[in-house]
Coordinates of all heavy atoms in Angstrom, one line a residue:
M154 N 10.0 -1.6 -3.9 CA 8.7 -2.1 -4.4 C 7.7 -0.9 -4.5 O 6.9 -0.8 -5.4 CB 8.2 -3.2 -3.5 CG 8.4 -4.5 -4.0 SD 7.8 -4.8 -5.6 CE 9.1 -5.8 -6.3
V155 N 7.8 -0.1 -3.4 CA 6.9 1.1 -3.4 C 7.2 2.0 -4.6 O 6.3 2.4 -5.3 CB 7.1 1.9 -2.1 CG1 6.3 3.2 -2.1 CG2 6.7 1.0 -0.9
G156 N 8.5 2.2 -4.9 CA 8.9 3.0 -6.0 C 8.5 2.4 -7.3 O 7.9 3.1 -8.2
R157 N 8.7 1.2 -7.5 CA 8.4 0.5 -8.8 C 6.9 0.4 -9.1 O 6.5 0.7 -10.2 CB 9.1 -0.9 -8.8 CG 8.8 -1.7 -10.0 CD 9.5 -1.0 -11.2 NE 9.3 -1.9 -12.4 CZ 8.9 -1.4 -13.6 NH1 8.8 -0.1 -13.8 NH2 8.8 -2.2 -14.6
M158 N 6.2 0.1 -8.0 CA 4.7 0.0 -8.2 C 4.1 1.4 -8.5 O 3.2 1.5 -9.3 CB 4.0 -0.6 -7.0 CG 4.3 -2.1 -6.8 SD 3.6 -2.8 -5.4 CE 1.9 -3.1 -5.9
T159 N 4.7 2.4 -7.8 CA 4.2 3.8 -8.1 C 4.5 4.2 -9.5 O 3.7 4.9 -10.2 CB 4.7 4.7 -7.0 OG1 4.5 4.2 -5.7 CG2 4.1 6.1 -7.1
E160 N 5.7 3.9 -9.9 CA 6.1 4.2 -11.3 C 5.2 3.5 -12.3 O 4.8 4.2 -13.3 CB 7.6 3.7 -11.5 CG 8.1 4.0 -12.9 CD 9.5 3.4 -13.2 OE1 9.7 2.2 -12.8 OE2 10.3 4.1 -13.8
L161 N 4.9 2.3 -12.1 CA 3.9 1.6 -13.0 C 2.5 2.2 -13.0 O 1.9 2.3 -14.0 CB 3.8 0.1 -12.6 CG 5.1 -0.8 -12.9 CD1 4.9 -2.2 -12.3 CD2 5.3 -0.9 -14.4
L162 N 2.1 2.6 -11.8 CA 0.8 3.2 -11.6 C 0.7 4.6 -12.3 O -0.3 5.0 -12.8 CB 0.5 3.4 -10.1 CG -0.9 3.8 -9.7 CD1 -1.9 2.7 -10.0 CD2 -0.9 4.2 -8.2
A163 N 1.9 5.3 -12.3 CA 2.1 6.6 -13.0 C 0.9 7.6 -12.8 O 0.3 8.0 -13.7 CB 2.2 6.3 -14.6
P164 N 0.7 7.9 -11.5 CA -0.4 8.8 -11.2 C 0.0 10.3 -11.5 O 1.2 10.6 -11.4 CB -0.6 8.6 -9.7 CG 0.7 8.3 -9.2 CD 1.4 7.5 -10.3
V170 N -6.8 7.7 -6.5 CA -6.2 6.4 -6.4 C -6.8 5.6 -5.2 O -6.9 6.2 -4.1 CB -4.7 6.4 -6.4 CG1 -4.1 5.0 -6.0 CG2 -4.1 6.9 -7.7
L171 N -7.2 4.4 -5.5 CA -7.6 3.5 -4.4 C -6.5 2.5 -4.1 O -6.0 1.8 -5.0 CB -8.8 2.7 -4.9 CG -9.4 1.6 -3.9 CD1 -10.0 2.3 -2.7 CD2 -10.4 0.7 -4.6
E172 N -6.2 2.4 -2.8 CA -5.2 1.4 -2.4 C -5.9 0.3 -1.6 O -6.7 0.6 -0.7 CB -4.1 2.1 -1.5 CG -3.0 1.0 -1.0 CD -2.0 1.6 0.0 OE1 -2.4 2.5 0.8 OE2 -0.9 1.0 0.1
V173 N -5.5 -0.9 -1.8 CA -6.0 -2.0 -1.0 C -4.8 -2.5 -0.2 O -3.8 -3.0 -0.8 CB -6.6 -3.2 -1.9 CG1 -7.0 -4.4 -1.0 CG2 -7.8 -2.7 -2.7
G174 N -4.9 -2.4 1.1 CA -3.7 -2.8 2.0 C -3.0 -1.6 2.5 O -1.8 -1.4 2.2
T175 N -3.6 -0.8 3.4 CA -3.0 0.4 3.9 C -1.7 0.1 4.7 O -0.7 0.8 4.5 CB -3.9 1.1 4.9 OG1 -5.2 1.1 4.3 CG2 -3.4 2.5 5.3
Q180 N 2.8 3.8 1.6 CA 2.5 3.9 0.2 C 1.5 5.0 0.0 O 1.6 5.8 -1.0 CB 2.0 2.6 -0.3 CG 1.4 2.6 -1.7 CD 2.5 2.7 -2.8 OE1 3.3 1.7 -3.0 NE2 2.6 3.8 -3.5
A181 N 0.5 5.1 0.8 CA -0.5 6.2 0.7 C 0.1 7.5 0.8 O -0.2 8.5 0.1 CB -1.6 6.0 1.8
L184 N 1.9 8.5 -2.4 CA 0.9 9.0 -3.4 C 0.4 10.4 -3.0 O 0.3 11.3 -3.9 CB -0.2 8.0 -3.5 CG 0.2 6.6 -4.1 CD1 -1.0 5.6 -3.9 CD2 0.5 6.8 -5.6
V191 N -6.1 10.0 -2.3 CA -6.0 8.6 -2.0 C -7.1 8.2 -1.1 O -7.4 8.8 -0.1 CB -4.6 8.3 -1.2 CG1 -4.5 6.8 -0.9 CG2 -3.4 8.8 -2.1
V192 N -7.7 7.0 -1.4 CA -8.6 6.3 -0.6 C -7.9 4.9 -0.3 O -7.5 4.3 -1.3 CB -10.0 6.1 -1.2 CG1 -10.9 5.2 -0.2 CG2 -10.6 7.4 -1.5
T193 N -7.7 4.5 0.9 CA -7.0 3.3 1.2 C -7.8 2.4 2.2 O -8.4 2.9 3.1 CB -5.5 3.6 1.7 OG1 -4.9 2.4 2.0 CG2 -5.5 4.5 2.9
M194 N -7.7 1.1 1.9 CA -8.5 0.1 2.6 C -7.6 -0.8 3.4 O -6.7 -1.4 2.8 CB -9.4 -0.7 1.7 CG -10.3 0.2 0.8 SD -11.0 -0.8 -0.6 CE -12.6 -1.0 0.0
F232 N -11.9 5.4 -10.2 CA -10.6 5.7 -9.8 C -9.6 5.7 -11.0 O -9.8 4.9 -11.9 CB -10.1 4.8 -8.7 CG -10.7 4.9 -7.4 CD1 -11.9 4.2 -7.1 CD2 -10.3 5.8 -6.5 CE1 -12.5 4.3 -5.9 CE2 -10.9 6.0 -5.3 CZ -12.1 5.2 -5.0
D233 N -8.7 6.6 -11.0 CA -7.7 6.7 -12.1 C -6.6 5.6 -11.9 O -5.9 5.2 -12.8 CB -7.0 8.0 -12.1 CG -8.0 9.2 -12.3 OD1 -8.7 9.2 -13.3 OD2 -8.2 9.9 -11.3
G234 N -6.5 5.2 -10.6 CA -5.6 4.1 -10.3 C -6.1 3.2 -9.2 O -6.8 3.7 -8.3
V235 N -5.7 1.9 -9.2 CA -5.9 1.0 -8.1 C -4.6 0.4 -7.8 O -4.0 -0.1 -8.8 CB -7.0 0.0 -8.4 CG1 -7.1 -1.0 -7.3 CG2 -8.4 0.6 -8.6
I236 N -4.1 0.4 -6.6 CA -2.9 -0.3 -6.2 C -3.2 -1.2 -5.1 O -3.7 -0.9 -4.1 CB -1.8 0.8 -5.9 CG1 -0.5 0.1 -5.6 CG2 -2.2 1.8 -4.8 CD1 0.7 1.1 -5.6
V237 N -2.8 -2.5 -5.3 CA -3.1 -3.5 -4.3 C -1.7 -3.9 -3.8 O -0.8 -4.2 -4.5 CB -3.7 -4.8 -5.0 CG1 -4.1 -5.8 -4.0 CG2 -5.0 -4.3 -5.7
T238 N -1.6 -3.8 -2.4 CA -0.3 -4.1 -1.8 C -0.3 -5.3 -1.0 O 0.5 -5.5 0.0 CB 0.2 -2.9 -1.0 OG1 -0.7 -2.6 0.0 CG2 0.3 -1.6 -1.9
A239 N -1.1 -6.3 -1.3 CA -1.1 -7.6 -0.7 C -1.4 -8.6 -1.9 O -2.0 -8.2 -2.8 CB -2.2 -7.8 0.4
W248 N -12.1 -4.4 -8.9 CA -10.9 -3.6 -9.0 C -10.8 -3.0 -10.4 O -10.3 -1.9 -10.6 CB -9.6 -4.3 -8.6 CG -9.6 -4.8 -7.2 CD1 -10.3 -4.3 -6.1 CD2 -8.7 -5.8 -6.6 NE1 -10.0 -5.0 -5.0 CE2 -9.0 -5.9 -5.2 CE3 -7.7 -6.6 -7.2 CZ2 -8.3 -6.8 -4.4 CZ3 -7.1 -7.5 -6.3 CH2 -7.3 -7.6 -5.0
L252 N -12.2 1.1 -12.3 CA -11.2 2.0 -13.0 C -11.9 2.8 -14.0 O -12.7 2.4 -14.8 CB -10.2 1.1 -13.8 CG -9.0 0.5 -13.1 CD1 -8.1 -0.2 -14.1 CD2 -8.2 1.6 -12.4
R257 N -5.3 2.8 -14.4 CA -4.3 1.7 -14.3 C -4.4 1.0 -13.0 O -4.7 1.6 -11.9 CB -2.8 2.3 -14.3 CG -2.4 2.9 -15.6 CD -2.8 4.3 -15.8 NE -2.4 5.2 -14.7 CZ -3.0 6.4 -14.4 NH1 -4.0 6.8 -15.1 NH2 -2.6 7.1 -13.4
L258 N -4.2 -0.3 -13.0 CA -4.3 -1.2 -11.8 C -2.9 -1.8 -11.7 O -2.4 -2.4 -12.7 CB -5.4 -2.2 -12.0 CG -5.4 -3.4 -11.0 CD1 -5.9 -3.1 -9.7 CD2 -6.2 -4.6 -11.6
V259 N -2.3 -1.8 -10.5 CA -1.1 -2.5 -10.2 C -1.3 -3.4 -9.0 O -1.8 -2.9 -8.0 CB 0.1 -1.5 -9.9 CG1 1.4 -2.2 -9.6 CG2 0.3 -0.5 -11.1
A260 N -0.9 -4.6 -9.2 CA -1.1 -5.6 -8.1 C -0.1 -6.7 -8.2 O 0.3 -7.2 -9.3 CB -2.5 -6.2 -8.2
P261 N 0.4 -7.3 -7.0 CA 1.1 -8.5 -7.1 C 0.1 -9.7 -7.2 O -0.8 -9.8 -6.4 CB 1.8 -8.5 -5.7 CG 1.0 -7.6 -4.8 CD 0.1 -6.8 -5.7
L271 N 4.3 -8.7 -10.5 CA 3.6 -7.5 -10.6 C 2.8 -7.4 -11.9 O 3.4 -7.6 -13.0 CB 4.5 -6.3 -10.6 CG 5.1 -5.9 -9.2 CD1 6.0 -4.7 -9.4 CD2 4.1 -5.7 -8.1
L272 N 1.5 -7.2 -11.8 CA 0.7 -7.0 -13.0 C 0.3 -5.6 -13.1 O -0.1 -4.9 -12.2 CB -0.6 -7.9 -12.8 CG -1.7 -7.7 -13.9 CD1 -1.2 -8.2 -15.3 CD2 -3.0 -8.4 -13.6
F292 N 4.9 -10.4 -1.5 CA 4.0 -9.6 -0.6 C 3.3 -10.5 0.4 O 3.1 -11.7 0.1 CB 3.0 -8.9 -1.4 CG 3.5 -7.6 -2.0 CD1 4.2 -7.6 -3.2 CD2 3.2 -6.4 -1.5 CE1 4.7 -6.5 -3.8 CE2 3.7 -5.2 -2.0 CZ 4.5 -5.2 -3.2

Side-chain angles (χ1 to χ4, degrees):
M154 265 303 143
V155 175
R157 179 63 177 136
M158 289 178 84
T159 308
E160 180 187 42
L161 289 171
L162 190 70
V170 168
L171 175 69
E172 180 188 28
V173 178
T175 314
Q180 172 74 68
L184 291 168
V191 181
V192 178
T193 178
M194 304 168 103
F232 289 92
D233 305 293
V235 173
I236 181 166
V237 183
T238 63
W248 296 341
L252 275 186
R257 293 83 55 202
L258 164 79
V259 178
L271 289 182
L272 173 67
F292 279 80

